[in-house]
Amino acid sequence: MPANGALHGIALDRQMKINLIAIVVLFVLAHMLLGLAFLKRRSSGRPRLLSIEILPLIALCGLYIWMAITAQQLWAANRFEGPSPTAMQVEIVGVQFQWYFRYPGEDATFGTTQPPLINAGAGNPLGIDPSDQQGNDDIVSSELVLPAGREVDVRLRAHDVIHGFFIPGMRLKQNAVPGLALHVHFTPTTLGEYPILCTQVCGLGHGHMEAKLRVVSEAEFQQWLSEREQKRLAEQAATGGGS
């Protein structure tokens, strides 16, 4: 895995390290026991099942239960435990073979979308309804830009098939499923660029379905938003006020 750049990634990497250590120890121990079983002369006495089989089995089950519970807690922390009220909202949409990122604009509310309105060639890849005033200030980008140190609540959708949204550097993975709006939240902490991949085989162009996350300072993020807003207004003026 690449270097971690998210707040929750510290606990996740620690959990992964513990799991790998446990697997290696059990692997070595199992082969040592197999070797001893081959080398040791067969005893004529009755085997002590309690110490030879039952107690190790109980210990192994206890280890796996603990690993499963701690892993579930880490997974749920980014999904079932809701984000803070001040978390920034971003919508991410997967479509063969592209990721789109939508910001709600100054009103902090996403405009409604209509599938018949989807037209990437006309500048409306998400099908934002022009009659919905809340969508007039929405910003759509092919690049995900986030400020460091600020929690982000991601709404994940898909237009066509299941896509696997994965940012290795953020220790973040969640499927985007058609017909569902799934949420996951995280806090990027380290400035830099991180590749965004698709981990579900979504068609012939699956291998090219990549995007980029840029984690920048708050000042750089606000400047980027301002530039995108100016570009959006210029495009609206050129098309007579349409979205």
Side-chain angles (χ1 to χ4, degrees):
M1 293 288 285
N4 168 58
L7 183 62
H8 73 278
I10 299 173
L12 194 148
D13 283 354
R14 181 171 59 246
Q15 178 73 15
M16 181 65 72
K17 184 177 181 181
I18 293 173
N19 289 356
L20 291 174
I21 291 174
I23 290 172
V24 171
V25 170
L26 290 175
F27 176 83
V28 173
L29 181 60
H31 283 75
M32 288 176 60
L33 292 175
L34 285 173
L36 289 174
F38 279 113
L39 296 174
K40 187 177 180 181
R41 297 183 60 182
R42 184 174 181 180
S43 174
S44 58
R46 185 176 181 180
R48 294 176 296 172
L49 293 179
L50 180 64
S51 59
I52 295 177
E53 296 183 11
I54 298 179
L55 289 180
L57 183 60
I58 292 174
L60 187 61
C61 290
L63 174 63
Y64 278 135
I65 290 173
W66 175 81
M67 291 169 65
I69 291 175
T70 52
Q72 170 68 18
Q73 290 174 340
L74 286 175
W75 181 87
N78 292 84
R79 292 164 176 84
F80 296 142
E81 297 178 11
S84 66
T86 58
M88 186 175 71
Q89 303 295 312
V90 177
E91 182 184 68
I92 300 176
V93 180
V95 56
Q96 294 173 315
F97 301 95
Q98 175 74 43
W99 292 109
Y100 291 104
F101 310 97
R102 180 162 65 134
Y103 301 78
E106 294 183 358
D107 61 2
T109 303
F110 291 111
T112 58
T113 58
Q114 302 290 342
L117 299 176
I118 296 175
N119 190 337
N124 193 7
L126 303 184
I128 300 175
D129 190 346
S131 64
D132 184 1
Q133 297 299 318
Q134 292 180 331
N136 287 342
D137 62 347
D138 288 2
I139 295 174
V140 179
S141 172
S142 59
E143 174 188 49
L144 180 59
V145 181
L146 299 174
R150 186 174 175 186
E151 187 178 19
V152 182
D153 180 24
V154 171
R155 182 170 75 173
L156 199 58
R157 299 193 299 116
H159 277 179
D160 35 40
V161 299
I162 296 177
H163 298 281
F165 181 73
F166 183 36
I167 311 179
M170 292 290 114
R171 306 297 190 265
L172 189 69
K173 183 181 183 298
Q174 176 65 52
N175 283 346
V177 182
L180 298 179
L182 303 176
H183 284 261
V184 59
H185 58 93
F186 70 104
T187 303
T189 57
T190 306
L191 303 180
E193 295 186 357
Y194 303 86
I196 300 174
L197 311 175
C198 177
T199 57
Q200 294 286 355
V201 181
C202 54
L204 294 176
H206 160 71
H208 301 286
M209 189 169 175
E210 297 183 7
K212 180 176 64 177
L213 161 65
R214 282 200 302 122
V215 180
V216 299
S217 66
E218 181 67 31
E220 289 179 283
F221 176 70
Q222 294 301 328
Q223 180 181 357
W224 179 82
L225 273 184
S226 177
E227 292 173 352
R228 296 294 303 189
E229 175 66 12
Q230 293 175 9
K231 180 180 178 181
R232 182 189 64 81
L233 292 175
E235 290 175 350
Q236 282 189 357
T239 57
S243 66

